[in-house]
Amino acid sequence: MTRMGRRAFLGAVGIGGLAMALPAAAATFGVTSAGGFFTVDTGAGLVFKVNQANGDVTSLKYHGVELQSQSRFSHVESGLGAGATVTASQVGQFVVVTETATDWYGSGTIVHYLVARNGDPAIYMATFVDSLGAGELRWIQEFDRSVITGMNPDADIRGGTAIESTDVFLVNGLTRSKYYGNHRARELTVGGVTGAGVGAYIVYGNRESSSGGPFYRDIEQQGSTTIQLYNYLWSGHNDTENQRLNVLYGPYALIITDGPAPAVPDLSFMDTLGLRGTVPLSGRGFVVGKGSGVPIGSVVGWANSQAQYWTTTGANGNFSSPAMKPGTYTQTLYQNELPVATRTATVTAGATTIGQNLTSGFTVPAAIFRIGEWDGTPTSFKNGANLTVMHPSDVRMASWGPTTYVVGTNTAADFPAYQWVGVNNPTTVKFTLTAAQIAARTVRIGITASYANGRPQITVNNWTSAIPAPSTQPKSRSLTIGTYRGNNTQFSYAVPATAFVAGTNTMTINVVSGSSGTGFLSPGVAFDCVELF
């Protein structure tokens, strides 16, 4: 069969329609069935074995060396269990293993695909989830630690003692967690672990069906009795969006090499295999426009209930989207991670929607003082460089305070990135006004996330603001699991002229909440910027 003929055949019948008899013995490339397992030889030194009862990958041999842990097998979700249906088909240069569970979360359906392509030392994957969703949608690859030895040390919890929940640990005096050292979604390309003469890498693929936007972080690795390499497709870990349903997640891949990271492969061949939920290039459209009022290289994002995408502005602020599913999207322009403009954009299959321009509507007035910058992150503040790689209690963190900040003397690096009721309340800001500067003024405080309904209340000398309403934020842990990303919110306080004095003024910022909690799990906020104008 010719290459084009094979593609046409696969696209016409879909994987569910393939009914080829499995060969009795494996060729250089192919699949065999024996003893309750499918064994797939990629023809490139990688051979993997799939349990026909539950879809677990139980063996992953590269040039004869077993990489797969034999104490904990690899699987989608937490394993599909004994109710799964597992089939395998081979057509030409492809082997497709299809794993289906039809009673998922009561009566839902999950379909996971494992694909081998002749001559590639890789398992290509994609996962379809229907309307009932899944709580921990992920691929977990479990490796033998005696073979795979190199990983992100921030996520290696082996030998540690749990200090928060069962996922943050103290190891030799330093905090470690699977949440630490992870990339933002927009930076997820290829990441992996290594051993002597071998490397194992996740190619994260497109994130269109995942959620949280371009700056969202989730788990990538964990070291325990095994070394675990993840592709987290959905978790709800401090996620600002709901899970996307009735969609195909991926494609993505696990690639094995002799050590070095592979180049990002072209995964478009997966569109030809008839996988449930596939939307091929011919069924997609594009958006082009211009972003103004932000630096070149700023992010433009699109999101609706079915998909998310992003790109960056180029010369003159022009941008062009990735290939998108048809639909109506909220289009957002970001100043670093701060959303500064939105509009609606409609995508039509086979067409390019032009003129989808955005101009920043975020104003930065002349200020009496400004601490930090309006960029949607707390990274310029005290401990800002450590927020995503360690727990706030880590000995490598500078003291959180309480802090007294003197305008004109201190810098942003002296102001706390995070503030909690039970750790470092209040933060005090001292500033000087001349008689001519005394007038009714505005204090504006930006946050990037909050925990347990924490929000700032201020006192200026003898005047105290009302307690603002809480911002809308995810309900899970945030500030302790390596992320400052929530919903950016600005709180404004109209301060009367009578609150100020000529000379030294004192403003205190207290985090308040109707919710309880202790220490680093008490109500808290992540700061973006604090200003008086």
mmCIF file of all heavy atoms in Angstrom, residues 159-194:
data_model
loop_
_atom_site.group_PDB
_atom_site.id
_atom_site.type_symbol
_atom_site.label_atom_id
_atom_site.label_comp_id
_atom_site.label_asym_id
_atom_site.label_seq_id
_atom_site.Cartn_x
_atom_site.Cartn_y
_atom_site.Cartn_z
ATOM 1 N N GLY A 159 13.631 9.403 50.558
ATOM 2 C CA GLY A 159 14.262 9.543 51.857
ATOM 3 C C GLY A 159 13.758 10.702 52.682
ATOM 4 O O GLY A 159 14.301 10.992 53.755
ATOM 5 N N GLY A 160 12.718 11.378 52.214
ATOM 6 C CA GLY A 160 12.235 12.561 52.911
ATOM 7 C C GLY A 160 11.135 12.288 53.906
ATOM 8 O O GLY A 160 10.570 11.192 53.978
ATOM 9 N N THR A 161 10.812 13.324 54.673
ATOM 10 C CA THR A 161 9.727 13.299 55.648
ATOM 11 C C THR A 161 8.671 14.299 55.222
ATOM 12 O O THR A 161 8.986 15.467 54.950
ATOM 13 C CB THR A 161 10.255 13.677 57.053
ATOM 14 O OG1 THR A 161 11.276 12.757 57.429
ATOM 15 C CG2 THR A 161 9.134 13.646 58.075
ATOM 16 N N ALA A 162 7.432 13.863 55.146
ATOM 17 C CA ALA A 162 6.352 14.745 54.700
ATOM 18 C C ALA A 162 6.151 15.880 55.700
ATOM 19 O O ALA A 162 6.073 15.652 56.910
ATOM 20 C CB ALA A 162 5.061 13.958 54.535
ATOM 21 N N ILE A 163 6.063 17.113 55.178
ATOM 22 C CA ILE A 163 5.820 18.276 56.036
ATOM 23 C C ILE A 163 4.519 18.985 55.681
ATOM 24 O O ILE A 163 4.057 19.846 56.431
ATOM 25 C CB ILE A 163 6.989 19.268 55.976
ATOM 26 C CG1 ILE A 163 7.175 19.815 54.554
ATOM 27 C CG2 ILE A 163 8.265 18.642 56.518
ATOM 28 C CD1 ILE A 163 8.144 20.989 54.471
ATOM 29 N N GLU A 164 3.936 18.663 54.519
ATOM 30 C CA GLU A 164 2.648 19.233 54.140
ATOM 31 C C GLU A 164 1.914 18.222 53.291
ATOM 32 O O GLU A 164 2.439 17.758 52.276
ATOM 33 C CB GLU A 164 2.833 20.537 53.368
ATOM 34 C CG GLU A 164 1.505 21.201 52.990
ATOM 35 C CD GLU A 164 1.706 22.512 52.250
ATOM 36 O OE1 GLU A 164 2.334 23.427 52.829
ATOM 37 O OE2 GLU A 164 1.263 22.615 51.092
ATOM 38 N N SER A 165 0.683 17.894 53.720
ATOM 39 C CA SER A 165 -0.088 16.866 53.048
ATOM 40 C C SER A 165 0.803 15.631 52.909
ATOM 41 O O SER A 165 1.549 15.283 53.811
ATOM 42 C CB SER A 165 -0.598 17.381 51.700
ATOM 43 O OG SER A 165 -1.483 16.473 51.111
ATOM 44 N N THR A 166 0.728 14.953 51.789
ATOM 45 C CA THR A 166 1.625 13.810 51.555
ATOM 46 C C THR A 166 2.445 14.043 50.291
ATOM 47 O O THR A 166 2.877 13.092 49.641
ATOM 48 C CB THR A 166 0.808 12.512 51.407
ATOM 49 O OG1 THR A 166 -0.156 12.672 50.350
ATOM 50 C CG2 THR A 166 0.086 12.166 52.695
ATOM 51 N N ASP A 167 2.693 15.324 49.970
ATOM 52 C CA ASP A 167 3.377 15.614 48.711
ATOM 53 C C ASP A 167 4.456 16.684 48.797
ATOM 54 O O ASP A 167 5.071 17.023 47.799
ATOM 55 C CB ASP A 167 2.364 15.989 47.621
ATOM 56 C CG ASP A 167 1.399 17.080 48.050
ATOM 57 O OD1 ASP A 167 1.754 17.883 48.937
ATOM 58 O OD2 ASP A 167 0.275 17.124 47.504
ATOM 59 N N VAL A 168 4.693 17.233 49.979
ATOM 60 C CA VAL A 168 5.823 18.136 50.187
ATOM 61 C C VAL A 168 6.689 17.530 51.285
ATOM 62 O O VAL A 168 6.187 17.186 52.362
ATOM 63 C CB VAL A 168 5.372 19.550 50.577
ATOM 64 C CG1 VAL A 168 6.589 20.457 50.771
ATOM 65 C CG2 VAL A 168 4.442 20.143 49.524
ATOM 66 N N PHE A 169 7.991 17.400 51.007
ATOM 67 C CA PHE A 169 8.871 16.643 51.889
ATOM 68 C C PHE A 169 10.105 17.456 52.265
ATOM 69 O O PHE A 169 10.537 18.344 51.513
ATOM 70 C CB PHE A 169 9.324 15.346 51.189
ATOM 71 C CG PHE A 169 8.226 14.355 50.986
ATOM 72 C CD1 PHE A 169 7.317 14.505 49.944
ATOM 73 C CD2 PHE A 169 8.086 13.256 51.827
ATOM 74 C CE1 PHE A 169 6.290 13.591 49.746
ATOM 75 C CE2 PHE A 169 7.070 12.346 51.636
ATOM 76 C CZ PHE A 169 6.165 12.507 50.602
ATOM 77 N N LEU A 170 10.676 17.105 53.414
ATOM 78 C CA LEU A 170 11.962 17.624 53.840
ATOM 79 C C LEU A 170 12.991 16.531 53.616
ATOM 80 O O LEU A 170 12.889 15.438 54.187
ATOM 81 C CB LEU A 170 11.920 18.035 55.307
ATOM 82 C CG LEU A 170 13.034 18.963 55.796
ATOM 83 C CD1 LEU A 170 12.973 20.307 55.071
ATOM 84 C CD2 LEU A 170 12.927 19.171 57.306
ATOM 85 N N VAL A 171 13.974 16.818 52.747
ATOM 86 C CA VAL A 171 15.009 15.850 52.385
ATOM 87 C C VAL A 171 16.361 16.482 52.682
ATOM 88 O O VAL A 171 16.742 17.478 52.045
ATOM 89 C CB VAL A 171 14.926 15.457 50.895
ATOM 90 C CG1 VAL A 171 15.984 14.412 50.570
ATOM 91 C CG2 VAL A 171 13.535 14.948 50.546
ATOM 92 N N ASN A 172 17.066 15.934 53.654
ATOM 93 C CA ASN A 172 18.381 16.476 54.038
ATOM 94 C C ASN A 172 18.309 17.973 54.309
ATOM 95 O O ASN A 172 19.194 18.740 53.920
ATOM 96 C CB ASN A 172 19.420 16.175 52.959
ATOM 97 C CG ASN A 172 19.657 14.697 52.763
ATOM 98 O OD1 ASN A 172 19.621 13.917 53.727
ATOM 99 N ND2 ASN A 172 19.899 14.281 51.528
ATOM 100 N N GLY A 173 17.229 18.377 54.960
ATOM 101 C CA GLY A 173 17.075 19.763 55.373
ATOM 102 C C GLY A 173 16.497 20.699 54.338
ATOM 103 O O GLY A 173 16.280 21.881 54.626
ATOM 104 N N LEU A 174 16.231 20.196 53.109
ATOM 105 C CA LEU A 174 15.687 21.030 52.041
ATOM 106 C C LEU A 174 14.318 20.509 51.622
ATOM 107 O O LEU A 174 14.073 19.302 51.669
ATOM 108 C CB LEU A 174 16.628 21.043 50.835
ATOM 109 C CG LEU A 174 18.065 21.501 51.098
ATOM 110 C CD1 LEU A 174 18.881 21.416 49.815
ATOM 111 C CD2 LEU A 174 18.110 22.908 51.680
ATOM 112 N N THR A 175 13.448 21.406 51.195
ATOM 113 C CA THR A 175 12.105 21.000 50.787
ATOM 114 C C THR A 175 12.116 20.502 49.345
ATOM 115 O O THR A 175 12.785 21.070 48.473
ATOM 116 C CB THR A 175 11.102 22.151 50.938
ATOM 117 O OG1 THR A 175 11.559 23.290 50.207
ATOM 118 C CG2 THR A 175 10.934 22.521 52.409
ATOM 119 N N ARG A 176 11.378 19.410 49.118
ATOM 120 C CA ARG A 176 11.276 18.796 47.797
ATOM 121 C C ARG A 176 9.809 18.423 47.544
ATOM 122 O O ARG A 176 9.082 18.052 48.458
ATOM 123 C CB ARG A 176 12.111 17.521 47.702
ATOM 124 C CG ARG A 176 13.565 17.660 48.112
ATOM 125 C CD ARG A 176 14.342 18.490 47.139
ATOM 126 N NE ARG A 176 15.783 18.387 47.328
ATOM 127 C CZ ARG A 176 16.653 19.302 46.921
ATOM 128 N NH1 ARG A 176 16.226 20.385 46.305
ATOM 129 N NH2 ARG A 176 17.947 19.140 47.117
ATOM 130 N N SER A 177 9.408 18.484 46.292
ATOM 131 C CA SER A 177 8.043 18.084 45.935
ATOM 132 C C SER A 177 7.938 17.905 44.427
ATOM 133 O O SER A 177 8.653 18.557 43.656
ATOM 134 C CB SER A 177 7.024 19.130 46.394
ATOM 135 O OG SER A 177 5.720 18.796 45.959
ATOM 136 N N LYS A 178 7.012 17.059 44.032
ATOM 137 C CA LYS A 178 6.700 16.903 42.605
ATOM 138 C C LYS A 178 6.188 18.206 41.996
ATOM 139 O O LYS A 178 6.174 18.361 40.768
ATOM 140 C CB LYS A 178 5.670 15.793 42.420
ATOM 141 C CG LYS A 178 4.338 16.043 43.130
ATOM 142 C CD LYS A 178 3.428 14.832 43.058
ATOM 143 C CE LYS A 178 2.119 15.056 43.807
ATOM 144 N NZ LYS A 178 1.256 13.855 43.785
ATOM 145 N N TYR A 179 5.782 19.149 42.836
ATOM 146 C CA TYR A 179 5.280 20.431 42.340
ATOM 147 C C TYR A 179 6.397 21.418 41.995
ATOM 148 O O TYR A 179 6.129 22.470 41.407
ATOM 149 C CB TYR A 179 4.383 21.092 43.387
ATOM 150 C CG TYR A 179 3.100 20.363 43.658
ATOM 151 C CD1 TYR A 179 2.883 19.724 44.874
ATOM 152 C CD2 TYR A 179 2.083 20.323 42.710
ATOM 153 C CE1 TYR A 179 1.697 19.060 45.140
ATOM 154 C CE2 TYR A 179 0.904 19.665 42.961
ATOM 155 C CZ TYR A 179 0.706 19.038 44.180
ATOM 156 O OH TYR A 179 -0.468 18.382 44.439
ATOM 157 N N TYR A 180 7.628 21.107 42.362
ATOM 158 C CA TYR A 180 8.683 22.114 42.276
ATOM 159 C C TYR A 180 9.550 21.950 41.029
ATOM 160 O O TYR A 180 9.817 20.838 40.571
ATOM 161 C CB TYR A 180 9.559 22.069 43.524
ATOM 162 C CG TYR A 180 8.796 22.373 44.798
ATOM 163 C CD1 TYR A 180 9.225 21.893 46.033
ATOM 164 C CD2 TYR A 180 7.633 23.152 44.773
ATOM 165 C CE1 TYR A 180 8.537 22.166 47.201
ATOM 166 C CE2 TYR A 180 6.931 23.422 45.930
ATOM 167 C CZ TYR A 180 7.380 22.931 47.143
ATOM 168 O OH TYR A 180 6.683 23.198 48.294
ATOM 169 N N GLY A 181 9.992 23.092 40.497
ATOM 170 C CA GLY A 181 10.866 23.101 39.345
ATOM 171 C C GLY A 181 10.165 22.854 38.029
ATOM 172 O O GLY A 181 10.799 22.432 37.057
ATOM 173 N N ASN A 182 8.877 23.127 37.965
ATOM 174 C CA ASN A 182 8.099 22.834 36.767
ATOM 175 C C ASN A 182 7.962 24.068 35.878
ATOM 176 O O ASN A 182 8.009 25.202 36.336
ATOM 177 C CB ASN A 182 6.720 22.299 37.157
ATOM 178 C CG ASN A 182 6.832 21.018 37.967
ATOM 179 O OD1 ASN A 182 7.687 20.192 37.682
ATOM 180 N ND2 ASN A 182 5.993 20.870 38.983
ATOM 181 N N HIS A 183 7.776 23.816 34.592
ATOM 182 C CA HIS A 183 7.720 24.892 33.612
ATOM 183 C C HIS A 183 6.296 25.440 33.458
ATOM 184 O O HIS A 183 5.310 24.756 33.760
ATOM 185 C CB HIS A 183 8.187 24.383 32.244
ATOM 186 C CG HIS A 183 9.590 23.902 32.236
ATOM 187 N ND1 HIS A 183 9.944 22.628 32.630
ATOM 188 C CD2 HIS A 183 10.751 24.512 31.877
ATOM 189 C CE1 HIS A 183 11.259 22.478 32.510
ATOM 190 N NE2 HIS A 183 11.765 23.598 32.063
ATOM 191 N N ARG A 184 6.207 26.645 32.943
ATOM 192 C CA ARG A 184 4.911 27.167 32.524
ATOM 193 C C ARG A 184 4.463 26.431 31.270
ATOM 194 O O ARG A 184 5.280 25.932 30.492
ATOM 195 C CB ARG A 184 5.003 28.664 32.254
ATOM 196 C CG ARG A 184 5.430 29.485 33.454
ATOM 197 C CD ARG A 184 5.512 30.963 33.142
ATOM 198 N NE ARG A 184 6.476 31.257 32.093
ATOM 199 C CZ ARG A 184 6.731 32.470 31.639
ATOM 200 N NH1 ARG A 184 6.078 33.518 32.139
ATOM 201 N NH2 ARG A 184 7.615 32.671 30.691
ATOM 202 N N ALA A 185 3.163 26.364 31.068
ATOM 203 C CA ALA A 185 2.633 25.593 29.929
ATOM 204 C C ALA A 185 3.222 26.064 28.609
ATOM 205 O O ALA A 185 3.508 25.256 27.724
ATOM 206 C CB ALA A 185 1.109 25.695 29.896
ATOM 207 N N ARG A 186 3.431 27.350 28.452
ATOM 208 C CA ARG A 186 3.933 27.870 27.181
ATOM 209 C C ARG A 186 5.373 27.446 26.920
ATOM 210 O O ARG A 186 5.854 27.564 25.796
ATOM 211 C CB ARG A 186 3.809 29.390 27.134
ATOM 212 C CG ARG A 186 4.682 30.154 28.127
ATOM 213 C CD ARG A 186 4.483 31.653 27.957
ATOM 214 N NE ARG A 186 4.930 32.084 26.641
ATOM 215 C CZ ARG A 186 5.917 32.942 26.438
ATOM 216 N NH1 ARG A 186 6.577 33.458 27.456
ATOM 217 N NH2 ARG A 186 6.269 33.304 25.220
ATOM 218 N N GLU A 187 6.085 26.965 27.942
ATOM 219 C CA GLU A 187 7.466 26.521 27.785
ATOM 220 C C GLU A 187 7.591 25.008 27.707
ATOM 221 O O GLU A 187 8.704 24.488 27.574
ATOM 222 C CB GLU A 187 8.303 27.037 28.966
ATOM 223 C CG GLU A 187 8.391 28.564 29.003
ATOM 224 C CD GLU A 187 8.579 29.122 30.390
ATOM 225 O OE1 GLU A 187 8.460 28.353 31.371
ATOM 226 O OE2 GLU A 187 8.819 30.334 30.508
ATOM 227 N N LEU A 188 6.481 24.288 27.787
ATOM 228 C CA LEU A 188 6.526 22.833 27.748
ATOM 229 C C LEU A 188 6.766 22.367 26.310
ATOM 230 O O LEU A 188 5.893 22.461 25.456
ATOM 231 C CB LEU A 188 5.215 22.240 28.264
ATOM 232 C CG LEU A 188 4.995 22.285 29.774
ATOM 233 C CD1 LEU A 188 3.616 21.730 30.117
ATOM 234 C CD2 LEU A 188 6.073 21.521 30.527
ATOM 235 N N THR A 189 7.941 21.867 26.063
ATOM 236 C CA THR A 189 8.263 21.293 24.757
ATOM 237 C C THR A 189 8.745 19.869 24.947
ATOM 238 O O THR A 189 8.030 18.920 24.674
ATOM 239 C CB THR A 189 9.306 22.138 24.020
ATOM 240 O OG1 THR A 189 10.458 22.318 24.873
ATOM 241 C CG2 THR A 189 8.752 23.499 23.639
ATOM 242 N N VAL A 190 9.978 19.715 25.448
ATOM 243 C CA VAL A 190 10.561 18.401 25.719
ATOM 244 C C VAL A 190 11.224 18.456 27.087
ATOM 245 O O VAL A 190 11.961 19.389 27.400
ATOM 246 C CB VAL A 190 11.619 18.036 24.658
ATOM 247 C CG1 VAL A 190 12.292 16.712 25.007
ATOM 248 C CG2 VAL A 190 10.993 17.962 23.272
ATOM 249 N N GLY A 191 10.960 17.445 27.914
ATOM 250 C CA GLY A 191 11.602 17.366 29.218
ATOM 251 C C GLY A 191 11.745 15.919 29.633
ATOM 252 O O GLY A 191 10.898 15.092 29.296
ATOM 253 N N GLY A 192 12.819 15.613 30.371
ATOM 254 C CA GLY A 192 12.988 14.205 30.690
ATOM 255 C C GLY A 192 13.996 13.904 31.769
ATOM 256 O O GLY A 192 14.447 14.784 32.512
ATOM 257 N N VAL A 193 14.368 12.632 31.833
ATOM 258 C CA VAL A 193 15.271 12.081 32.831
ATOM 259 C C VAL A 193 16.309 11.235 32.092
ATOM 260 O O VAL A 193 16.115 10.849 30.938
ATOM 261 C CB VAL A 193 14.507 11.244 33.868
ATOM 262 C CG1 VAL A 193 13.596 12.134 34.707
ATOM 263 C CG2 VAL A 193 13.678 10.147 33.181
ATOM 264 N N THR A 194 17.410 10.929 32.785
ATOM 265 C CA THR A 194 18.506 10.265 32.101
ATOM 266 C C THR A 194 19.129 9.161 32.950
ATOM 267 O O THR A 194 18.925 9.096 34.158
ATOM 268 C CB THR A 194 19.613 11.277 31.741
ATOM 269 O OG1 THR A 194 20.083 11.898 32.961
ATOM 270 C CG2 THR A 194 19.104 12.337 30.786
#
